[in-house]
Amino acid sequence: MARQHSVVSIHHDDDAHLAALGHKAELKRHYSPLSMLGLAFAILNSWTALSASLSLALPSGGPTSVIWGLITAGICNLCLAASLAEFMSAYPTAGGQYHWVAMISWKKWVPLLSWITGWINVSGWIALVASGGLLGSQLIVGVIAFMNPTYVAQRWHQFLIYIGYNLIAFLLNAFANSLLPYITKGAFTWSISGFVIISITVLACASPNYSSGSFVFTDFINQTGWPDGISWLLGLLQAGLGLTGYDAVAHMVEEIPNPTVEAPRIMLACVGIGVFTGFIFLTCLLLVAGDVDNVISNAAGPLLAIFYNATGSKAGSICLLIFPLVCLLFATITIMTTSSRMTYAFARDGGLPASKFFAKVHDTHGMPLNALILTTALVVIFGCIFLGSSSAFNAIISASVVALGVSYAIPPAINCLRGRKMLPPRPFVLPGLLGWFCNLLGIVYVIVTTVLFLFPPDLPVTGSNMNYCIVAFFIVIVISVVQWFVDGRQNYKGPQIEIVGEDATGDTYQNGHANKISDETIAEADGNESGRLSGQANGADLKA
């Protein structure tokens, strides 16, 4: 009974805190820290994403870009994750970045800056959903080409597989919401198991015919037409993809208990595990890669080509490939979950057209079904770009990495401009110079990569190999600007941005400057929660 009352108290405090931020708790807190770590890691799935996207880095810097690009991106993303963890510890709401921007911005600019951040973040998550299906479909088409050398891949073949990935993800999210915590735990176990099994298998099968250490850590390849320095930096896109999406924890934070403490730990842990497993796995792959030119040009794709070189068996190679294929399905499911929560949160604050419709939580399924349908529909439309351009793969991945990166940099950038003094007392704090270092390094990394990832992947530039990421961004900007003048300028005020509470010493603090706290909202949340918890406690007493 003591444990029962302890859990009840934690949920009560969490929901009251959310009510103070201006939102009634509508989603169940049914994710444990482990299941949320599973969701976050399933989205990053670093070793899978890094290996499945080797085609991005091997021609653009070679092994040096693959290995040292990961280390570079890893350090910078850990700094960004730590920077965002401070905000999440202070303001644990599903809105994430756009909500944090509203909390710390200058009063005059709160609506506009929050609006811009929200649109960038929503579009980034939709593009990230698309990247999971694209990577999975690319691997499956590679298997077909691997087993049938006469097969000529058509873009519509890959597009249909892409639709299949997203359809499965939609059905599980829509009709099996209560099972998602178990699915994410399974995803974490499957991913770590696959990482260990594949690493051991390829090293054992290839022994003793390994590539040299100088090849793995120092060999440079440039097949892009760009100067060597720019080519290497463009190769960072692979590492950027493998280490993006960790703000998933922020958008799912209303579904875990004790979020101010647990959420920052989960965010940092998933990035740290991603860098560690990614470095080990990529090193193993490069050690057994063999002829790197064949790996780059192989119709089956770099990953399957490396597996075959290591094992010498087509059946064995495909068996190993099952691990990343299933990982990418898990990733698509969990990314879609997070994207729908981000869309729901932004609509809840009036940031989207027909916001009331998309902010509705389905009574039976206990999740934002309308936001999920919108996400899925846009992902299908977004995927149609692939039918018209050979570089759509790069464009969609670039769009997701760039959009999410920009949304990561805006809150710490504003906080730095305001002297890092805008956050209230919170459990997770970056002290002194460490806070400045993490914030500034993360911001510089985002600025550099945002510019670079808009470049075409190869020279000379043609209509088919152009990086259409910039086109996608232009469309998002046009829609958001039009919507701002049609609706947002008059009606969007941003999220609830005033909190009053007590710090550890008992002193009262106040953060924000626009909206007064709604006592009715808090009272309603407290009343509903108290009644629900009282019923749970009475039921437990009767059982006892």
Side-chain angles (χ1 to χ4, degrees):
M1 278 303 301
R3 178 174 175 80
Q4 172 80 17
H5 285 301
S6 172
V7 173
V8 165
S9 176
I10 288 173
H11 282 284
H12 175 78
D13 291 344
D14 294 340
D15 291 348
H17 189 184
L18 183 62
L21 290 167
H23 297 300
K24 180 183 174 182
E26 297 182 282
L27 303 174
K28 294 180 180 179
R29 297 186 184 274
H30 60 164
Y31 283 86
S32 67
L34 179 60
S35 60
M36 185 55 67
L37 176 62
L39 179 140
F41 188 71
I43 288 174
L44 262 71
N45 235 319
S46 298
W47 70 267
T48 304
L50 290 165
S51 59
S53 58
L54 277 169
S55 59
L56 297 174
L58 279 178
S60 189
T64 59
S65 183
V66 171
I67 296 294
W68 300 115
L70 173 62
I71 298 300
T72 302
I75 293 171
C76 295
N77 277 289
L78 275 171
C79 289
L80 275 173
S83 300
L84 297 184
E86 284 195 294
F87 287 89
M88 189 163 51
S89 184
Y91 309 118
T93 82
Q97 293 91 304
Y98 82 85
H99 193 118
W100 305 335
V101 164
M103 302 300 290
I104 65 170
S105 292
W106 305 269
K107 181 178 179 180
K108 178 181 178 182
W109 297 101
V110 164
L112 181 59
L113 290 175
S114 175
W115 177 276
I116 292 170
T117 306
W119 273 87
I120 290 173
N121 204 4
V122 167
S123 61
W125 272 102
I126 292 171
L128 195 64
V129 178
S131 72
L134 279 176
L135 286 170
S137 61
Q138 189 178 56
L139 292 182
I140 292 174
V141 168
V143 170
I144 299 172
F146 185 58
M147 298 302 295
N148 301 279
T150 59
Y151 169 72
V152 179
Q154 303 293 325
R155 289 177 197 159
W156 64 271
H157 297 170
Q158 190 171 341
F159 179 73
L160 290 178
I161 299 170
Y162 166 87
I163 295 298
Y165 258 79
N166 286 293
L167 182 61
I168 293 171
F170 169 78
L171 292 174
L172 285 172
N173 271 281
F175 303 110
N177 182 54
S178 60
L179 297 179
L180 288 179
Y182 303 101
I183 292 174
T184 60
K185 287 180 183 178
F188 185 71
T189 303
W190 177 271
S191 181
I192 296 298
S193 300
F195 158 72
V196 173
I197 291 170
I198 294 175
S199 298
I200 293 174
T201 301
V202 295
L203 289 176
C205 291
S207 177
N209 301 314
Y210 300 131
S211 303
S212 66
S214 62
F215 166 77
V216 174
F217 297 108
T218 65
D219 204 59
F220 183 85
I221 299 170
N222 182 4
Q223 298 181 359
T224 64
W226 288 102
D228 288 349
I230 294 179
S231 175
W232 189 89
L233 289 170
L234 290 174
L236 282 174
L237 178 58
Q238 181 212 18
L241 173 66
L243 295 172
T244 198
Y246 43 84
D247 61 315
V249 184
H251 306 308
M252 299 293 294
V253 77
E254 294 178 23
E255 298 176 54
I256 60 173
N258 197 19
T260 58
V261 175
E262 297 294 346
R265 294 175 181 171
I266 295 169
M267 180 179 281
L268 290 172
C270 71
V271 178
I273 295 171
V275 174
F276 175 76
T277 56
F279 180 82
I280 299 297
F281 193 72
L282 291 176
T283 301
C284 292
L285 291 183
L286 291 174
L287 281 171
V288 302
D291 182 1
V292 71
D293 291 325
N294 176 61
V295 169
I296 292 173
S297 61
N298 198 295
L303 183 58
L304 196 53
I306 291 174
F307 285 169
Y308 184 63
N309 182 71
T311 62
S313 165
K314 288 190 174 182
S317 301
I318 294 173
C319 286
L320 291 180
L321 196 69
I322 289 173
F323 282 103
L325 277 173
V326 176
C327 281
L328 287 169
L329 180 58
F330 281 133
T332 306
I333 294 167
T334 50
I335 296 170
M336 188 174 286
T337 304
T338 308
S339 181
S340 67
R341 301 311 192 267
M342 174 61 211
T343 303
Y344 151 78
F346 197 42
R348 183 174 62 181
D349 284 315
L352 295 177
S355 284
K356 289 184 179 179
F357 178 76
F358 294 120
K360 184 177 175 60
V361 174
H362 195 279
D363 294 333
T364 303
H365 301 300
M367 46 78 64
L369 181 61
N370 296 339
L372 178 68
I373 293 172
L374 174 65
T375 297
T376 307
L378 290 174
V379 165
V380 172
I381 294 170
F382 205 48
C384 290
I385 300 172
F386 185 78
L387 294 173
S389 168
S390 62
S391 292
F393 173 69
N394 292 68
I396 291 172
I397 288 181
S398 296
S400 63
V401 175
V402 169
L404 291 178
V406 170
S407 75
Y408 297 163
I410 294 175
I414 295 173
N415 199 29
C416 285
L417 289 173
R418 307 200 72 179
R420 277 186 47 83
K421 297 177 181 178
M422 298 307 296
L423 292 178
R426 58 203 179 277
F428 182 83
V429 180
L430 289 173
L433 291 176
L434 179 61
W436 282 102
F437 174 80
C438 289
N439 289 175
L440 294 176
L441 181 60
I443 293 166
V444 170
Y445 169 76
V446 169
I447 292 172
V448 172
T449 53
T450 297
V451 173
L452 287 168
F453 295 165
L454 297 178
F455 283 22
D458 302 293
L459 290 179
V461 181
T462 65
S464 62
N465 75 0
M466 173 186 169
N467 188 343
Y468 286 92
C469 172
I470 195 167
V471 177
F473 255 86
F474 179 75
I475 293 172
V476 170
I477 290 171
V478 168
I479 294 173
S480 64
V481 168
V482 170
Q483 181 64 14
W484 170 256
F485 284 104
V486 170
D487 177 52
R489 187 171 57 172
Q490 284 84 24
N491 301 319
Y492 182 75
K493 305 302 179 185
Q496 170 76 48
I497 62 171
E498 186 167 310
I499 298 178
V500 176
E502 290 185 353
D503 62 18
T505 65
D507 294 331
T508 299
Y509 68 83
Q510 182 168 337
N511 183 303
H513 34 250
N515 299 333
K516 186 177 180 181
I517 293 177
S518 169
D519 293 331
E520 291 80 4
T521 299
I522 298 176
E524 181 186 0
D526 279 349
N528 291 344
E529 182 68 5
S530 296
R532 182 175 67 83
L533 297 175
S534 175
Q536 289 179 351
N538 290 337
D541 288 336
L542 288 173
K543 288 180 182 179

